[in-house]
Amino acid sequence: VTAAPASVEVTLPDAVRVPPGGRKTVAVEIAAPAPLEPLSAVTATVAAITEQNDHVEEDLSMNIPLGELPHPRLLLTPDDIPRVRKRIETLDWAAEAWQGIKSAADRWLEKPLEFPDRGGQWYHWYTCKECGSRLQTQSPTEHVCPRCKITYSGWPYDDVVLTGQHHGLAAAARDLGLVYQLTGEDAYAEKAREILLGYAERYLDYPMHNIHGEEGRGACHVGPQPLTEAVWLIPLTQGFDCVYDYLSREDRQTIADGVLLPAAELVKSYATHIHNIPCWENSAYGSVGITLGNEDLAAQAINGEFGFRNQIAEGVNDDGQWYEGAWGYHYYTMSALQPLAVAAENVGIDLYSDRYLSMFLAPVRMMGPTGHLPAFNDSGRAGALGHDAIYEKGYAKWGLDELAMVITHNGRGKTLEALLWGADEVPVSNPKLTSSLFGASGIAILRTDAPATSEDTLPGVPSNYVALDFGPHGGGHGHPDKLGFVLYAAGRLVAPDPGSIAYGNPAHGGWYKQTLSHSTVVVDGVSQEPTEGELLFFASGDQMAMAGAQTTEAYNGVTLRRMMALLPDGLLDVTLGVSDEEHQYDWAYHSRGELALEADLSALEEAPGKGAYEWATDWRSAGALDGWSGAWTVDADLTVGVAQQASSSAEIMTAVGRGNPPETRDPFVISRIQAEEAAWATGLSWGDSPQPQVELLRGTEDGEELPLTEAVGVRMTTGQTV
């Protein structure tokens, strides 16, 4: 007999003889010298030898039982209730948080329950086809674009509204159950019971449907995809857990069989890879498992191949960033992980590893001067300081100043998370950030300081910032944007990344997920291949920070390279495209504000390329130039001068692209070179510096020019020569 873990002792009778064709039942005793964590896997291998000396083995496995535990056990435990009540009585912020939750529950007490007659639809459909703006609901069948004033109706728009109604009912069950636990008033439990039994009655009768309104892969009952089903199931299960003791045994069985278990098994069947969506699915079916005492469900959600622990181990890189490389999905994943981490801790399972902690720290360490993060890949303009609810439990667990800063920056949030899991007091803290290399994420953060022109600049965070992206593609949520960058100057966002918009809008794939919408190089008018670049160098000091990176696989046979240096009052950029064959190289730069180019511009009759080029408007050309200059008026307080010299004559074009939010329109400039190799030396300046002048420097040896890949540089004059 062998066993795992090694500390476990497995005992069999000394000798067991089984005659041919016979059967015997044998008691196996498993003992551990110290208590093991609930749901820990124990495996014993029992070996036997036949009379013919054939060796056979059988694996016996089990999970350490959860044991007999009281309810509630998902959001809080019975031992937590006196502590939470005391906080409500003694802490002003806790009283406000409580009042918000109770008021929401009170409104449901007075409301007749109305269940949708079918499941809902994908919220990504709920955008204007013309401008991409989020629609506004005027009625269940009228959905209006606030910008274009176009009214949409019918499928899928009407059904998106139903998704909101389903989620509202699930959240109501949670809030009602929580108020019942903290007040002991049966009226709240009874209303939650009505919601739970209502879903038990109709859940399996809702037609299966996916985001296309069809049965088949991804189809669910309430939501149009397993992700939506899981997000709905979590608060519904938390509500059930809170009123568990109020429900009769028959009620519990009806709710478990009619909705909780079938929904849990449905979402569990899709949790089969490392990704943000299975994290939601794990929390959903794991919560069902914990509240029902179903150890198979709970153990799979936590310890399974694609359970919580492996999602953290394989999905979080060594920098602490979620592997998809989009900060929106990083926080979305953190939101998915939290319900299961809290519930697991309540039943004696500790999921708060150092790698989990790194997810909390990474965005704080990479944020820009206003607390926002670069919107790389499928992400909006996420703010590190806008997720205080997630950080409440993290600070209470680890007590680090960087986590406290997120909670206190905008004042203590009046949230459910703060009330149930947060610390009583959180000290005000300001980070001290410097230039940093995030090697696993493939992002170089350059910082220098200068007088800020924005009141939003955070104390202790330098006002100039560059995030240069050379890292992994990011899977299905990645963008073809290698060597793209984001720039803040004097505390203001100057050069943004476009991020993403609702996936159901055609502009998402047509513009936002194309190379042209990023500040990088497009070759032959088509987007880059999904790839990962490599770092060439990184160095930083108080007055300058530098980084260089390249990619050799974004385009077949082409090397793209970018080298940047950030100063207190400017940015130097040298970008190369090198190949053995002639290509069309388009250097693109996008900026907020208005561009005044010091050249005569003529309107183009059509876009100078297909695909993404056709999504931009107001194309103009200055013709072929050896160099160009201009200025971007970002706003009334900031103007950024720009100048560029290229390795050969380049056609300079301007256009207006789509920004984020999608109704914004940001201008951009293209410098196009048709050659085997191209190089651009670009200088940007701000503050008190005058309009820059730049010169491309090529290395020489014995009077001969060296290849661009061996020696190239830039000289920028802004009142001083660099």
Side-chain angles (χ1 to χ4, degrees):
V1 179
T2 60
S7 60
V8 173
E9 298 176 359
V10 181
T11 304
L12 286 172
D14 291 338
V16 179
R17 291 188 175 275
V18 183
R23 295 173 61 89
K24 278 194 177 181
T25 300
V26 178
V28 179
E29 182 177 306
I30 299 177
L36 293 176
E37 189 176 69
L39 302 183
S40 297
V42 176
T43 302
T45 301
V46 180
I49 299 176
T50 70
E51 291 181 350
Q52 291 76 32
N53 288 324
D54 293 330
H55 183 86
V56 294
E57 291 185 353
E58 187 71 28
D59 287 338
L60 308 175
S61 61
M62 63 170 288
N63 297 314
I64 299 297
L66 287 170
E68 293 296 327
L69 297 170
H71 290 85
R73 58 178 74 158
L74 297 182
L75 288 170
L76 75 174
T77 70
D79 290 341
D80 293 324
I81 292 172
R83 173 182 58 82
V84 175
R85 287 173 176 164
K86 182 178 180 182
R87 299 172 87 173
I88 294 170
E89 294 172 359
T90 59
L91 299 172
D92 290 343
W93 66 264
E96 288 188 51
W98 163 246
Q99 191 54 50
I101 297 167
K102 187 174 181 299
S103 295
D106 287 341
R107 288 192 292 272
W108 280 98
L109 288 182
E110 302 167 2
K111 241 170 122 173
L113 291 182
E114 295 182 9
F115 291 89
D117 62 355
R118 62 191 185 278
Q121 253 311 323
W122 200 35
Y123 78 94
H124 283 288
W125 294 130
Y126 211 63
T127 64
C128 176
K129 293 180 179 179
E130 297 297 321
C131 72
S133 296
R134 183 81 178 159
L135 300 180
Q136 295 179 348
T137 305
Q138 298 286 64
S139 76
T141 59
E142 294 177 300
H143 320 278
V144 179
C145 172
R147 187 169 185 264
C148 302
K149 307 305 179 185
I150 300 172
T151 298
Y152 297 82
S153 62
W155 190 94
Y157 309 103
D158 296 356
D159 293 52
V160 174
V161 176
L162 299 183
T163 296
Q165 293 174 6
H166 282 296
H167 286 290
L169 285 163
R174 177 201 60 210
D175 292 345
L176 289 160
L178 184 57
V179 174
Y180 165 69
Q181 283 294 332
L182 293 172
T183 65
E185 296 180 23
D186 288 351
Y188 297 102
E190 181 59 31
K191 196 72 173 185
R193 173 181 176 272
E194 291 177 29
I195 294 173
L196 292 161
L197 288 173
Y199 272 116
E201 177 185 342
R202 53 181 48 84
Y203 176 74
L204 291 173
D205 290 332
Y206 283 141
M208 293 283 279
H209 64 289
N210 59 22
I211 63 173
H212 304 294
E214 303 166 349
E215 294 186 21
R217 178 70 182 169
C220 295
H221 291 288
V222 163
Q225 56 177 341
L227 168 62
T228 313
E229 203 89 343
V231 173
W232 163 81
L233 181 58
I234 291 169
L236 191 76
T237 306
Q238 291 167 337
F240 170 82
D241 180 67
C242 283
V243 299
Y244 184 93
D245 290 336
Y246 176 84
L247 299 171
S248 68
R249 181 174 297 181
E250 182 182 358
D251 285 345
R252 296 172 196 160
Q253 198 64 50
T254 298
I255 295 164
D257 293 343
V259 58
L260 298 185
L261 285 171
E265 291 292 348
L266 177 59
V267 299
K268 175 177 175 287
S269 69
Y270 286 94
T272 56
H273 55 302
I274 303 298
H275 193 265
N276 72 82
I277 293 177
C279 292
W280 284 103
E281 293 159 348
N282 289 337
S283 277
Y285 78 80
S287 295
V288 172
I290 289 173
T291 193
L292 293 180
N294 185 319
E295 287 153 2
D296 290 338
L297 282 177
Q300 186 70 17
I302 293 172
N303 299 321
E305 182 181 2
F306 303 107
F308 185 107
R309 285 195 165 104
N310 277 344
Q311 293 287 342
I312 293 289
E314 299 180 30
V316 179
N317 68 28
D318 289 343
D319 296 327
Q321 186 179 23
W322 185 248
Y323 81 95
E324 292 173 283
W327 286 111
Y329 278 103
H330 180 94
Y331 282 120
Y332 195 55
T333 303
M334 290 180 71
S335 297
L337 293 166
Q338 188 164 74
L340 189 54
V342 169
E345 184 179 41
N346 288 342
V347 296
I349 303 169
D350 185 3
L351 298 179
Y352 291 88
S353 64
D354 288 345
R355 203 165 188 86
Y356 188 22
L357 167 61
S358 73
M359 292 189 77
F360 290 80
L361 294 173
V364 177
R365 294 171 177 174
M366 201 184 290
M367 67 182 182
T370 62
H372 289 90
L373 291 151
F376 293 147
N377 296 334
D378 278 346
S379 185
R381 191 166 165 244
L385 305 181
H387 295 84
D388 54 293
I390 298 176
Y391 278 74
E392 288 283 359
K393 179 64 177 178
Y395 177 77
K397 188 72 179 177
W398 290 296
L400 300 178
D401 288 346
E402 289 166 289
L403 310 184
M405 182 272 299
V406 177
I407 297 171
T408 60
H409 176 71
N410 294 316
R412 190 74 181 271
K414 316 304 187 293
T415 63
L416 177 150
E417 293 84 355
L419 177 64
L420 299 184
W421 311 324
D424 285 353
E425 302 293 340
V426 181
V428 175
S429 174
N430 292 313
K432 303 297 181 186
L433 300 181
T434 60
S435 299
S436 302
L437 176 64
F438 295 84
S441 303
I443 299 175
I445 301 296
L446 311 181
R447 302 182 193 270
T448 60
D449 213 355
T453 62
S454 171
E455 295 179 357
D456 296 330
T457 303
L458 300 173
V461 183
S463 60
N464 300 323
Y465 170 98
V466 166
L468 174 62
D469 179 14
F470 61 90
H473 179 69
H477 289 297
H479 285 196
D481 61 353
K482 287 298 146 290
L483 308 188
F485 70 99
V486 167
L487 168 66
Y488 284 79
R492 278 177 156 73
L493 178 61
V494 174
D497 186 280
S500 66
I501 60 170
Y503 303 155
N505 193 287
H508 174 67
W511 173 255
Y512 291 87
K513 213 156 182 171
Q514 301 297 324
T515 302
L516 182 65
S517 64
H518 302 78
S519 294
T520 185
V521 178
V522 184
V523 179
D524 296 331
V526 298
S527 286
Q528 300 173 1
E529 292 294 321
T531 186
E532 180 175 355
E534 61 180 318
L535 181 74
L536 299 176
F537 63 85
F538 175 84
S540 65
D542 292 340
Q543 298 298 308
M544 180 183 290
M546 300 185 296
Q550 71 175 15
T551 174
T552 59
E553 298 179 350
Y555 296 99
N556 185 36
V558 176
T559 295
L560 298 179
R561 181 177 295 177
R562 173 163 252 156
M563 296 158 285
M564 310 188 90
L566 182 64
L567 310 172
D569 58 356
L571 175 68
L572 287 77
D573 171 37
V574 178
T575 307
L576 313 178
V578 178
S579 176
D580 293 334
E581 300 179 0
E582 184 174 298
H583 291 280
Q584 174 187 291
Y585 297 98
D586 284 351
W587 178 96
Y589 173 68
H590 300 254
S591 177
R592 290 282 168 89
E594 297 182 6
L595 170 63
L597 196 65
E598 295 179 2
D600 293 330
L601 292 164
S602 300
L604 295 177
E605 293 184 0
E606 60 183 17
K610 300 298 183 182
Y613 293 80
E614 297 171 307
W615 281 90
T617 61
D618 197 25
W619 281 100
R620 299 164 116 29
S621 173
L625 301 173
D626 293 329
W628 61 276
S629 60
W632 299 83
T633 302
V634 179
D635 57 30
D637 297 312
L638 181 65
T639 298
V640 177
V642 57
Q644 184 182 84
Q645 186 181 65
S647 56
S648 60
S649 182
E651 182 181 5
I652 309 303
M653 293 173 281
T654 65
V656 177
R658 295 185 175 229
N660 211 330
E663 58 268 20
T664 62
R665 297 292 182 265
D666 291 334
F668 66 101
V669 61
I670 283 179
S671 180
R672 173 175 289 180
I673 294 176
Q674 188 83 29
E676 292 183 0
E677 60 181 34
W680 300 266
T682 310
L684 303 174
S685 66
W686 53 85
D688 295 331
S689 298
Q691 176 70 35
Q693 295 180 331
V694 297
E695 179 184 359
L696 177 69
L697 305 176
R698 294 198 60 160
T700 60
E701 185 175 0
D702 299 328
E704 298 291 329
E705 284 188 344
L706 292 170
L708 286 173
T709 52
E710 291 187 18
V712 66
V714 57
R715 177 184 290 118
M716 179 171 75
T717 304
T718 59
Q720 58 178 334
T721 299
V722 178

